Structures are given as structure tokens and as C-alpha cells.
Amino acid sequence: MIKCVMIQLCKCLAGISILAQHVLFCYHLFGWIATLVIVGVQLVIAGWIVWAMIRAPD
């Protein structure tokens, strides 16, 4: 049980780390405004995909 929890926590930590690196990379390349636009568009697309997967017929 503890092993499964630790593995899940490590996966979440790795995901957050990759997300932070992505945002920082965009900031260094494009600046804050473009980074906010890029991240916003990606969040909208991700939300649309999640919504479509929930609504998809079996």
C-alpha cells in the first residue's frame, strides 16, 4: 500500500516538475504575455479533450 502511494506521489511530483520547466522555458523564449497565452490555449485544449472523453459514447 505504501509503495503504491509513494509511486503515485513521485509521478505527480515529476509531472509538476515537467510543467514548471515547460512554463519556464516558454517564459525565457517568449516572455510573460506569450507564456500566459500559450498556457491558456493548452488548458482550453486539455479541458476540451477531457470533456470530449467524458461525453464520448462507449
Side-chain angles (χ1 to χ4, degrees), residues 13-29 35 39 42:
L13 184 62
I16 291 171
S17 175
I18 290 170
L19 177 65
Q21 289 176 0
H22 173 70
V23 170
L24 193 61
F25 183 72
C26 287
Y27 168 67
H28 284 300
L29 281 179
T35 299
V39 170
Q42 289 175 343

